[in-house]
Amino acid sequence: MKINKQRLINMLDEVNNISSGGEGITRLAYTEYEEAALEWFIKKCEAYSIKTHRDSIGNAFGTVGPTKGDGILIGSHLDTVKNGGRYDGALGVIAGLEVLITLIENDIKLERPVTVVSFRGEEANILGGTFGSRAFCELIDYNENFIRKLKNTPFNEKQVKDTAGYQYYKDYIELHIEQGKKLETNELNIGVVNAIAGIKRLDITVHGEAGHSGTIGMNERNDALTHTAKILLEFDRIVKDYGEPNIGTVGELYVEPNLPNVVPGKVNFILEVRGTKIDTIREITEQISTFADNNYQVTIKPDVEKHPASLSEKIINIAEEVCKESNINYQVMMSGANHDANSLSNVMDSGLLFIPCLNGISHNPKEFAEPSDMENGANILLGTTLKLMS
Ligand SMILES: [Zn+2]
């Protein structure tokens, strides 16, 4: 039994007709465009007699099979970033839908309910990413800050609380584009994800002394930006020393006063480390903190810390088996980016499958996945679903 590649592509094209305009695809969370995509999804389910429902914040579900039993959930999200691509999120939902349609078409007697879900607000910053799936898994922290932000959304507290619905399901699988280059570089078709990277950020300020760029000699300077440059080179060395899968980035940096004729007096930046082991992540941030502290005048404040999420051994093993049986080349790998599967992994067995995307480009109109890779991905999703049932 195989999925229908052309139908998969047609459905993806259909949903990508919904965009607020401009380059690429824009279906921002909680806007009429995300809503239109979710409505399209519900109508598509209904056209195939798939039972549908929306929960209290609008996460959308379509179910086939028995009404009782531990459900298998397949999904992702239909919202995008501004001027995003055609595949990030949408592929996982459409492939899930295609799996359900294939099961119906082949008249498969289902032992367990199989549901495709489109979670809301995966890309939305206002309430934090993966919002729909975190609410579904009861992972929301109702702190003051959250309650304040909620006022600027279409939801109230009760609606968010009522969204919790994970109890009816036991397994979750998500198909997503890799958004990196590993599969492409290694000429592989599928990535079976074993962990979603944990993340730790430090907010670092390097203090120097501002002064006239023309009058203060090179040996008289206390240049905060030059100090920062040396800290960043050391950071690069430390992370590379630890090796894969650890990665370190400084992508945000503020120079004061940021003028061409003034020696920088102060630099503030966010330093980020991602990896699969929280202890290693902490060691790296401690080493760079010690280096900075011993050599320069710095203020270091802890920022975000998120633990890595381990995905289900059971689902990893099944997905590997399905790849082998289908002669699909795969590798087991980490995901550096967060996904809805991260939320689900807190409350049920969860799996995440990657397919290659061209040059690793994502969150960009140039995002591209080969139809044959999408077909492979959806077939592995189908095979994994079937094996979960047996
Ligand atoms: Zn995504």
Side-chain angles (χ1 to χ4, degrees), residues 1 7 18 51 53 61-62 105 142 154 173 181 205 207 239 275 283 296 323 328 332 346:
M1 187 181 11
R7 185 170 54 204
I18 304 167
K51 268 177 291 166
H53 88 273
F61 302 80
E105 228 173 33
Y142 293 88
I173 334 168
K181 297 182 185 180
T205 304
H207 306 276
V239 180
E283 268 175 46
Y296 307 100
C323 287
I328 298 276
V332 177
N346 286 279

Side-chain angles (χ1 to χ4, degrees), residues 76-77 79 87-90 122-123 174 176 179 338-340 363:
S76 199
H77 58 98
D79 67 316
Y87 308 88
D88 178 359
E122 199 273 345
E123 305 278 14
E174 179 166 355
H176 207 281
Q179 303 177 287
N338 194 18
H339 295 288
D340 288 311
H363 283 192

